[in-house]
Amino acid sequence: MADLRLCSVQDCGKPFNAKGFCQKHYIRFLKYGDPLFTKTSPGGYVQKYFEEVVCQYEGDDCLIWPYSRSGSSKGYASFWHNGKTSLVCRVVCEKANGAPPKNNHAAHTCGNGHLGCVTKRHLSWKTVKENSEDKIAHGTRRAGQENGNSKLTESDVLAILTASGVSHSQLARQYGVSQPLISKIRRREMWKHL
């Protein structure tokens, strides 16, 4: 008979599910980055890592967050902080640069926020416009067909831009999009990079 693999959390004793944890500890690991996390007793090794590594790090290289990420396994670093799930970069930026001005984002000079960089020297408060300009400069802005919500390809947009004698409503029906979108494309308000 094969050995039953058990959860790697000491004294748990439940069957292994994924990443060395039982179902309960695996879900906690995914959601909070800490398989031992509970809302009533915050702390654990994620909080310890934040305080002893992230807050103390004075280097210039990207320090990549090894725990949970917002949205997926690849994304902005997140953790349980002050009773809610927070972006690590926002908390670090506030510790390094003070409270954010209204409607500002914690922007990364390195362009690696989406990879989980939490280096305080890379963070500053920027407006939505400034942050968007940074994304363009870093090549991390998902524009055009790189945007997962786009129905059009670059070749579709080029055809729309060069179509003469065809109404906006006809083009909208042909490409399965709205007439206002066709108007914005032709006025160069959208897909400006082409």
Side-chain angles (χ1 to χ4, degrees):
M1 185 170 147
D3 289 331
L4 179 65
R5 290 175 47 187
L6 299 177
C7 180
S8 62
V9 173
Q10 187 175 5
D11 299 326
C12 174
K14 293 182 181 171
F16 167 88
N17 180 44
K19 300 250 184 205
F21 304 118
C22 66
Q23 180 73 18
K24 176 180 84 174
H25 289 118
Y26 179 61
I27 289 171
R28 287 179 181 175
F29 173 76
L30 286 178
K31 189 168 183 179
Y32 304 108
D34 186 344
L36 300 175
F37 177 85
T38 63
K39 290 182 181 180
T40 57
S41 59
Y45 64 82
V46 174
Q47 186 65 33
K48 185 175 180 179
Y49 181 85
F50 174 76
E51 292 168 1
E52 295 179 5
V53 177
V54 175
C55 291
Q56 303 302 319
Y57 183 66
E58 296 296 335
D60 290 321
D61 294 333
C62 288
L63 177 63
I64 303 298
W65 184 252
Y67 301 111
S68 61
R69 308 284 181 88
S70 62
S72 69
S73 61
K74 293 180 181 172
Y76 289 88
S78 64
F79 74 137
W80 189 259
H81 182 72
N82 289 341
K84 64 181 179 176
T85 301
S86 301
L87 292 176
V88 179
C89 59
R90 249 188 110 71
V91 176
V92 171
C93 193
E94 189 163 349
K95 285 183 175 289
N97 303 306
K102 188 172 182 169
N103 297 323
N104 277 23
H105 294 267
H108 292 79
T109 58
C110 62
N112 291 326
H114 66 291
L115 299 176
C117 175
V118 294
T119 303
K120 65 180 137 195
R121 290 184 181 185
H122 297 180
L123 294 165
S124 63
W125 297 118
K126 293 200 176 176
T127 64
V128 172
K129 183 180 180 197
E130 291 169 330
N131 197 27
S132 185
E133 290 169 353
D134 279 355
K135 287 179 182 180
I136 292 168
H138 297 136
T140 56
R141 180 172 172 236
R142 301 189 85 177
Q145 65 190 32
E146 296 297 315
N147 182 327
N149 295 325
S150 177
K151 289 184 177 181
L152 301 173
T153 64
E154 289 185 1
S155 60
D156 291 339
V157 174
L158 291 172
I160 289 167
L161 289 170
T162 58
S164 59
V166 184
S167 72
H168 289 191
S169 58
Q170 288 173 312
L171 288 169
R173 281 192 300 277
Q174 179 181 345
Y175 290 99
V177 295
S178 69
Q179 184 273 325
L181 176 62
I182 299 295
S183 297
K184 287 179 180 180
I185 290 170
R186 290 190 130 180
R187 287 193 312 261
R188 307 300 288 167
E189 293 174 12
M190 294 188 77
W191 291 78
K192 297 182 230 179
H193 63 286
L194 294 182

